[in-house]
Amino acid sequence: MKVAELLYKNREWKLERNDENLNYENAQLVLAYGARNIIEDASFFMLIKEKFPNAEIVLSSSSGEIYDNDVYDDTVAVTILKFETAWLKTSQIDITNFPDSYQAGKVLMDKLPKKDLKWVFILSDGSSVNGSQLVEGLNSGRPENVLITGGLAGDGDHFEKTVVGLNAMAEPNKIVAIGFYGNNLVLSHSSLGGWESFGLEKTVTKSRHNILYEIDGKNALELYKKYLGKYAQDLPGSALLFPLSLTSGDHSYPVVRTILSVNENDNTMVFAGDLPEGSKVRFMKANIDRLVDAAHEAANQCLEICRQNPKMAIIISCVGRKLVLGDRTAEEVDMVKDVLGPDTLISGFYSYGEISPLRPFDNGVLHNQTITITTINEITQNGN
């Protein structure tokens, strides 16, 4: 397995890491995460297609790009992969062709052959897709022990439009699945938040999918504003600083849910994932040191699973973390780099939602406000 990465900025290739002299004409897969205005430009797709003529090319807009041990904006971070024995299958769907995101996820998974499937990496539109339903649909056809990870495309902190593409210019409403096959693949994953819960546990008493109406029989938005205090006047932007911890019958471990928008007319809140009625929630707040420490712990969890320094690590972290961390954003990437070692190539992006199991190689789960890491290596007879 060989990996390389490039950084595109100001209409030129600015940085390159290609330790193993990977021939770009032989690349099997190219992952490009970047600013929407670049990613959706047809001329950029033609540029990247010319550079990697034989590769599957997957594009996703982002809210910040991760290249090696740093974080960039208004760039494109490009990861290039070539395997010795493993192989790939890709599929793409348009969410507008389906009645809901569950059916979209189910069909997307059904499109991938299941024999020797080890990992499915998802890059999805982050504006028009219900991430919770998408992941449930993917899980419905997931073979046992197949890893599902990925993320929802971002659009900086604008929340206007997100785009994804497979072997074509990136567009809205697209969802791409990449299936990785072969018994020589060694994978690991982790997902952690680092947020602090406060206040008493409460119950969701009225909701519809990702729209929250009532908590403990009281209007949810009014209750949320009460807890936010002075920050309530800055909604919905300030909601990124105060997500909810959610525990439901679907999973025993809490996941984080962040608010996408508020509707003052009917006093509702729209979240990036579902909040089923009867689930338990607690308010959360940011602790910067704990956010950074979570990245360190997540990287250690990966090493506990794979028991070796991986060839590549993909970080997908939430735009909410980036906004909270501010000038310290690169610290969480540095933490991962310190744990995995200098030989591990690190890439990724800041997203509108992260996909990763809660337990090793269990069903995928939609997360918000977390850092997720997927590591990959290929072990062949010569040990490479």
Side-chain angles (χ1 to χ4, degrees), residues 195-206:
W195 298 80
E196 289 185 347
S197 298
F198 67 97
L200 299 176
E201 184 177 76
K202 301 180 183 299
T203 302
V204 175
T205 49
K206 185 178 179 181

Side-chain angles (χ1 to χ4, degrees), residues 35-47:
R36 174 166 61 87
N37 65 306
I38 305 175
I39 287 291
E40 67 179 351
D41 188 336
S43 64
F44 176 75
F45 174 74
M46 295 306 297
L47 175 72

Side-chain angles (χ1 to χ4, degrees), residues 36 59-61 92-96 101 108 122-132 134 151-155 160-165 170-176 272 349 351-353 355 366:
R36 174 166 61 87
L59 310 173
S60 174
S61 61
Q92 176 179 268
I93 59 173
D94 189 310
I95 188 64
T96 61
S101 295
L108 191 64
I122 300 294
L123 289 170
S124 169
D125 179 285
S127 300
S128 58
V129 173
N130 182 312
S132 295
L134 171 67
L152 308 185
D155 180 27
E160 294 173 354
K161 181 177 75 169
T162 60
V163 294
V164 173
E171 297 177 332
N173 303 316
K174 298 294 192 279
I175 311 173
V176 173
F349 69 102
S351 73
Y352 285 176
I355 301 170
L366 176 74

Side-chain angles (χ1 to χ4, degrees), residues 20-314:
E20 300 172 295
N21 296 315
L22 170 58
N23 184 338
Y24 292 156
E25 290 191 359
N26 295 330
Q28 287 173 276
L29 177 66
V30 172
L31 301 170
Y33 324 106
R36 174 166 61 87
N37 65 306
I38 305 175
I39 287 291
E40 67 179 351
D41 188 336
S43 64
F44 176 75
F45 174 74
M46 295 306 297
L47 175 72
I48 206 166
K49 179 64 178 175
E50 182 178 353
K51 194 172 187 67
F52 308 101
N54 300 304
E56 299 272 2
I57 298 171
V58 183
L59 310 173
S60 174
S61 61
S62 75
S63 295
E65 299 77 58
I66 297 170
Y67 175 91
D68 204 21
N69 64 335
D70 214 339
V71 178
Y72 295 84
D73 290 302
D74 301 317
T75 65
V76 179
V78 178
T79 307
I80 308 103
L81 296 92
K82 173 69 169 68
F83 295 100
E84 294 295 323
T85 61
W87 66 98
L88 310 169
K89 295 289 185 181
T90 59
S91 66
Q92 176 179 268
I93 59 173
D94 189 310
I95 188 64
T96 61
N97 294 327
F98 297 88
D100 54 44
S101 295
Y102 176 88
Q103 290 298 323
K106 187 176 185 304
V107 169
L108 191 64
M109 180 61 79
D110 289 344
K111 283 177 173 284
L112 294 176
K114 302 303 185 292
K115 182 177 173 57
D116 296 322
L117 178 62
K118 302 300 179 185
W119 171 35
V120 179
F121 185 60
I122 300 294
L123 289 170
S124 169
D125 179 285
S127 300
S128 58
V129 173
N130 182 312
S132 295
Q133 293 182 14
L134 171 67
V135 173
E136 288 179 11
L138 292 166
N139 287 334
S140 70
R142 181 188 76 95
E144 187 176 4
N145 294 324
V146 169
L147 177 62
I148 299 177
T149 63
L152 308 185
D155 180 27
D157 58 358
H158 309 300
F159 296 91
E160 294 173 354
K161 181 177 75 169
T162 60
V163 294
V164 173
L166 171 63
N167 298 323
M169 185 180 72
E171 297 177 332
N173 303 316
K174 298 294 192 279
I175 311 173
V176 173
I178 309 167
F180 293 76
Y181 298 79
N183 292 325
N184 291 328
L185 293 176
V186 178
L187 304 163
S188 71
H189 64 88
S190 61
S191 178
L192 285 173
W195 298 80
E196 289 185 347
S197 298
F198 67 97
L200 299 176
E201 184 177 76
K202 301 180 183 299
T203 302
V204 175
T205 49
K206 185 178 179 181
S207 65
R208 184 170 62 86
H209 300 309
N210 63 334
I211 302 174
L212 180 61
Y213 296 90
E214 292 182 359
I215 298 175
D216 283 351
K218 300 176 181 178
N219 180 267
L221 181 56
E222 291 179 0
L223 186 62
Y224 190 74
K225 287 180 177 179
K226 178 182 176 181
Y227 271 84
L228 261 61
K230 65 179 181 179
Y231 293 99
Q233 62 186 7
D234 296 323
L235 283 171
S238 60
L240 289 170
L241 308 177
F242 299 94
L244 290 183
S245 171
L246 172 77
T247 305
S248 70
D250 296 335
H251 34 75
S252 57
Y253 296 94
V255 296
V256 182
R257 288 286 177 263
T258 192
I259 298 173
L260 293 179
S261 63
V262 299
N263 189 329
E264 297 284 357
N265 294 326
D266 58 7
N267 279 344
T268 61
M269 296 186 288
V270 179
F271 285 77
D274 289 352
L275 294 93
E277 291 183 359
S279 57
K280 304 297 183 180
V281 293
R282 292 184 69 187
F283 294 100
M284 307 183 82
K285 59 183 178 181
N287 179 313
I288 290 180
D289 289 333
R290 286 192 61 182
L291 294 180
V292 173
D293 289 344
H296 185 273
E297 186 177 347
N300 275 312
Q301 287 184 3
C302 284
L303 286 185
E304 289 176 7
I305 294 174
C306 65
R307 301 186 182 279
Q308 60 184 314
N309 294 97
K311 183 65 68 76
M312 185 185 75
I314 299 175

